[in-house]
Amino acid sequence: MKIKRVDKWAFYKVAIGMSKLALHLPAGTLGDRMFAFFLFLERQGRLPKGRMDGFQDYLYSMKKSGELLSLPRQMVSDKEYGKLFINDVLGGPFAVPTLRVLRAPDEVVAEAFPPDCAIKPTHASQKVIIRRNNAPIDLEEIRSFFDADLYREGREQNYRYLEHKVIVEPIVFDGADFIELNLQCYKGRAKLMSVKCEGGKARERRDRDWNEVDIVFTKPKPKVPVPKPESWDDILHAVETIASRFEYIRVDLYTTGTEFLIGEITNCHTNAVMKFKREGDADTYKRLLFGSVHD
């Protein structure tokens, strides 16, 4: 039966209201599951399906199962300990180096930060300050990183028990040109990736053989296609060595083409809220990531 427009908007309003209400429920399994359910309704505009019926359905099932509370997933969610995991698994310094870790707001003083560095909370995502040429930095903003709480904001359970810290890193590759790769891995194989280039303003979608994948997202394609890195085989080996420890994982790295450094590991891509913009793209994504895998 076709849903009337007014009913569809009413559905969205209820889902939005319920997800906001569920966010204020006490921390714990029940509140987390309720929030995940209503957030899915709000962002996807439909009920969750079976675990392998779509990428978002798979991530929703993982969130609901409590898998994100496993110790390995909690460890790699912490930017400090995640690097220890990466270097231990790969047997060498493959992670972006750490210059310093600040464990309390009173450690945030001007002397803690070199002239060129990246400053991030270890327990959150998409928060970063890039300092170049000894430029002034807002110490109060950095202290506010300690208050960031990704668990409370989106009920991603892998962040619930993490210590709140600030990590200081060098500028990757000393400011040389590089691209960023976010590799989606399933059953130990890198299947799909986002290629971020032109300073993050453009993106491509590629498969493990560097073939372009025609899936539409918000960022435009680059003016010139990005060539496959010379170190691609080494990148795949490193990423898939990490991925072999998990059923699903996303590995994020930077590469100049000849060199690469792994930045972090992501457990639940976009907290399962990414929505495909074009009909059929969700099926393409599912087919390329999961192949002919069935429950």
Side-chain angles (χ1 to χ4, degrees):
M1 185 176 70
K2 189 175 181 180
I3 300 175
K4 295 180 181 179
R5 183 178 298 272
V6 63
D7 294 333
K8 184 176 181 180
W9 281 111
F11 172 85
Y12 286 149
K13 287 180 179 179
V14 169
I16 291 170
M18 292 303 293
S19 65
K20 289 181 178 178
L21 177 63
L23 191 58
H24 295 287
L25 289 172
T29 300
L30 178 60
D32 296 345
R33 286 182 176 179
M34 290 182 66
F35 177 75
F37 177 74
F38 288 113
L39 181 67
F40 191 98
L41 292 184
E42 174 193 338
R43 299 300 176 88
Q44 303 302 327
R46 61 175 176 84
L47 291 168
K49 300 178 183 177
R51 178 171 175 265
M52 303 305 296
D53 283 336
F55 180 45
Q56 309 302 357
D57 302 274
Y58 176 87
L59 294 180
Y60 169 76
S61 177
M62 183 170 67
K63 290 169 65 177
K64 187 177 67 171
S65 72
E67 164 68 14
L68 293 177
L69 283 171
S70 70
L71 289 178
R73 290 195 179 276
Q74 290 189 66
M75 180 180 184
V76 300
S77 299
D78 182 300
K79 289 181 173 60
E80 178 188 9
Y81 300 133
K83 293 181 188 183
L84 299 178
F85 177 90
I86 291 165
N87 291 337
D88 180 64
V89 167
L90 298 181
F94 286 88
V96 173
T98 297
L99 299 178
R100 179 173 292 183
V101 177
L102 309 177
R103 302 183 185 279
D106 60 10
E107 295 180 24
V108 179
V109 293
E111 295 76 17
F113 307 101
D116 297 279
C117 62
I119 307 162
K120 310 171 184 177
T122 60
H123 53 284
S125 65
Q126 298 183 342
K127 291 180 183 290
V128 59
I129 294 173
I130 303 296
R131 186 187 201 191
R132 296 183 186 274
N133 302 317
N134 208 28
I137 49 176
D138 188 337
L139 298 181
E140 284 305 315
E141 180 183 1
I142 298 170
R143 292 186 186 107
S144 74
F145 285 175
F146 285 91
D147 297 325
D149 193 335
L150 219 55
Y151 170 69
R152 282 294 184 182
E153 292 171 11
R155 291 298 179 97
E156 290 185 73
Q157 292 175 321
N158 45 304
Y159 291 100
R160 181 177 179 184
Y161 299 108
L162 299 190
E163 180 185 358
H164 290 201
K165 303 168 291 183
V166 168
I167 195 166
V168 185
E169 301 173 344
I171 304 294
V172 294
F173 302 120
D174 199 25
D177 289 338
F178 62 86
I179 60 172
E180 182 177 351
L181 304 179
N182 302 147
L183 294 100
Q184 305 278 9
C185 305
Y186 182 69
K187 299 244 173 161
R189 297 272 287 178
K191 298 294 193 72
L192 278 170
M193 79 195 73
S194 170
V195 182
K196 300 180 182 179
C197 51
E198 297 178 8
K201 296 179 181 178
R203 294 188 187 182
E204 291 180 331
R205 296 317 186 279
R206 299 274 179 174
D207 65 15
R208 64 176 285 109
D209 297 317
W210 208 259
N211 299 311
E212 185 175 3
V213 176
D214 184 22
I215 295 177
V216 176
F217 288 106
T218 54
K219 298 286 185 181
K221 292 182 180 180
K223 300 180 180 68
V224 179
V226 177
K228 181 165 68 173
E230 294 178 35
S231 58
W232 182 238
D233 289 343
D234 292 333
I235 288 172
L236 275 183
H237 177 73
V239 167
E240 293 182 343
T241 299
I242 293 169
S244 68
R245 270 65 176 177
F246 305 90
E247 183 176 78
Y248 162 82
I249 204 73
R250 194 186 93 195
V251 181
D252 304 337
L253 61 85
Y254 311 97
T255 178
T256 61
T258 56
E259 300 178 274
F260 69 94
L261 288 169
I262 298 173
E264 58 188 76
I265 297 173
T266 299
N267 284 288
C268 189
H269 179 69
T270 72
N271 198 14
V273 302
M274 178 183 75
K275 188 169 184 179
F276 295 94
K277 299 180 69 67
R278 187 176 61 183
E279 186 176 356
D281 282 353
D283 289 335
T284 300
Y285 205 96
K286 178 183 72 171
R287 174 177 55 81
L288 292 173
L289 183 59
F290 298 134
S292 59
V293 176
H294 297 286
D295 267 353

